[in-house]
Amino acid sequence: MANNDVLTTEDAGMIFGVSKWAMYKRAQNGMVPAHYLGRRLYFLKSELINLVSKS
C-alpha cells in the first residue's frame, strides 16, 4: 500500500486501534484529517501516518 492511499473509516480505525464510529467522531472534532466525497468519509494514509509520527 502506498502512503497516499485512501482509507475507509474501518481501515483508519485499525491504524489507531479504534472503531469506525470513533474515527467518525475524531474527524468531526478535528482530531484527525479527513475528507468527504459526497456523504462518505475517507482518510489519506499519509496524513494519518504523519499524525501518528508527530505524537
Side-chain angles (χ1 to χ4, degrees):
M1 211 169 355
N3 277 345
N4 46 349
D5 284 338
V6 176
L7 302 176
T8 63
T9 53
E10 293 90 358
D11 295 334
M14 283 191 224
I15 291 175
F16 286 96
V18 299
S19 70
K20 70 178 184 178
W21 304 113
M23 289 306 297
Y24 279 117
K25 288 182 182 179
R26 289 179 182 198
Q28 288 176 341
N29 293 333
M31 296 173 64
V32 294
H35 307 275
Y36 283 93
L37 184 58
R39 295 180 63 199
R40 295 187 185 250
L41 182 65
Y42 294 98
F43 302 88
L44 293 179
K45 184 177 180 183
S46 59
E47 292 178 345
L48 296 180
I49 290 173
N50 287 338
L51 181 66
V52 170
S53 66
K54 288 181 182 178
S55 303

